[in-house]
Amino acid sequence: MLSQRVGITDITINYHRPLVNGRRIWGSLVPYGQVWRAGANENTTITFSDPVTIEGKPLDKGTYGLHMIPGESEWTVIFSKNSTSWGSFTYSQAEDALRVNVKPQPTDPHEALTYDFGRIKPDSTVVTLAWEKVAVPFTVGVNTKELVAEDLHKQLRGLAQYSWDGWDDAANYLLDNNAHLEEALQYEDKSIQNEERFENLLTKARILDALGRKEDATGTRDKALTRATPLQLHLYARQLQGQKKQEEAFAIFRSNYKKYPSEWFVHTGMARIYSAQGDFGNAAKEMKTALASAPDQQKSYVDGLVRRLEAKEDINK
């Protein structure tokens, strides 16, 4: 048995592994043009926990008997509603759920028949049967975004609905995947109703940005910043730097430095401003101030920044 999760969908193949054992396989032991059980003994089966596509064609969730019709240049892969028979001896085309045609490929020798999952992505994988010197791949697609959105909706009918972070996590997933943005906004509003915080206000601002509501986004983002702790402000400014929004980041660094001069990390923010200006002397001075009161687990990192500044290296690059 072989299993693979794609997104939140489980795919399981249950099969037996015949051996080549010195025999001629294709066109002989396994004839061309005839239905074959794609394994040995009882039905090879494949199970999908959610609806999928096979080579772009839809297939409902469930367990299927997996059969194939080999050909020299093209194979037919069959998903049968009958998954409990012995081999393909009683196979009936009337029980087909789906057929797709695929191209066989040459491969390294495989003494034992093998199935494998390859090219695994969040929404697809390639299933490959390999035996002797032939590989037969077919692509399984999964609508992961929609499945997760549906699953989130179910989860938010449970205990998660009573916390701010359950709704916020769900909204962030939809936002990050550019899916159901209006629903994401509703989720974030419910998060804020439970508890208004920097995190959910900032997420709401990002959703509003994605919806093109720039003015509302700006107002919500400004409100979020008033709820932030000094460290949250600093980390947000670092995120802005990662987004190449240096001036916005530097404005927050300056404000943080002015309001909370006793916090060690605000000095790293000022050091970054000086570094960008080419004032490595003041940058190193600020970073040394940060080093003096930084937590032990941060000292090595900050010390490295000091050395870079002393070497006149811009730490923002």
Side-chain angles (χ1 to χ4, degrees), residues 23-299:
R23 298 173 293 182
R24 181 183 168 206
I25 302 301
W26 310 117
S28 180
L29 179 67
V30 179
Y32 291 131
Q34 296 182 24
V35 177
W36 171 57
R37 55 186 152 188
N41 302 324
E42 60 195 66
N43 263 179
T44 296
T45 63
I46 187 165
T47 301
F48 306 102
S49 64
D50 297 294
V52 297
T53 61
I54 308 295
E55 294 294 318
K57 297 181 179 180
L59 183 65
D60 202 0
K61 67 179 181 180
T63 298
Y64 297 92
L66 185 62
H67 307 269
M68 298 186 184
I69 302 177
E72 293 188 65
S73 60
E74 185 175 73
W75 285 47
T76 299
V77 182
I78 303 168
F79 299 84
S80 173
K81 297 172 186 176
N82 183 344
S83 62
T84 59
S85 295
W86 185 267
S88 298
F89 299 108
T90 60
Y91 163 79
S92 170
Q93 187 170 347
E95 295 175 318
D96 284 2
L98 179 68
R99 284 186 171 209
V100 296
N101 294 325
V102 297
K103 299 293 184 182
Q105 300 174 359
T107 188
D108 294 334
H110 286 70
E111 174 65 20
L113 182 148
T114 301
Y115 282 90
D116 187 32
F117 293 97
R119 289 182 249 167
I120 301 167
K121 300 178 181 179
D123 59 357
S124 67
T125 186
V126 175
V127 178
T128 301
L129 174 150
W131 194 26
E132 199 248 2
K133 296 180 181 180
V134 173
V136 183
F138 58 89
T139 300
V140 180
V142 180
N143 195 344
T144 299
K145 291 181 183 179
E146 292 300 321
L147 289 169
V148 172
E150 182 181 338
D151 188 61
L152 288 172
H153 183 72
K154 292 177 182 177
Q155 290 181 39
L156 290 170
R157 298 182 68 180
L159 288 176
Q161 68 182 298
Y162 300 110
S163 67
W164 72 269
D165 52 340
W167 294 102
D168 183 63
D169 288 345
N172 268 297
Y173 176 84
L174 296 178
L175 174 61
D176 291 343
N177 287 277
N178 195 31
H180 303 286
L181 293 181
E182 289 291 351
E183 187 173 10
L185 185 59
Q186 293 173 17
Y187 285 176
E188 208 57 69
D189 283 337
K190 290 183 178 180
S191 173
I192 292 167
Q193 288 172 15
N194 283 344
E195 183 182 349
E196 187 174 272
R197 299 172 60 98
F198 164 75
E199 296 96 323
N200 50 23
L201 286 168
L202 191 60
T203 302
K204 181 176 180 177
R206 291 175 58 220
I207 297 169
L208 290 167
D209 264 331
L211 288 168
R213 295 166 56 179
K214 303 301 182 183
E215 186 174 341
D216 290 340
T218 298
T220 304
R221 188 175 295 107
D222 290 344
K223 186 176 182 180
L225 296 179
T226 68
R227 300 289 193 277
T229 66
L231 181 57
Q232 285 175 327
L233 287 169
H234 178 78
L235 295 175
Y236 176 58
R238 292 289 288 130
Q239 288 179 21
L240 290 173
Q241 282 195 293
Q243 298 166 12
K244 308 300 182 185
K245 298 178 180 179
Q246 291 282 52
E247 292 308 315
E248 290 182 49
F250 290 167
I252 293 174
F253 284 149
R254 289 189 185 95
S255 175
N256 231 12
Y257 182 83
K258 183 177 181 180
K259 292 180 180 178
Y260 310 105
S262 62
E263 298 285 1
W264 70 272
F265 48 81
V266 303
H267 297 280
T268 71
M270 281 304 299
R272 290 186 179 280
I273 294 174
Y274 283 128
S275 177
Q277 295 170 347
D279 186 350
F280 295 109
N282 277 321
K285 179 181 177 182
E286 289 292 344
M287 197 61 76
K288 288 177 181 177
T289 300
L291 178 61
S293 55
D296 289 343
Q297 64 268 30
Q298 295 290 337
K299 285 188 181 297

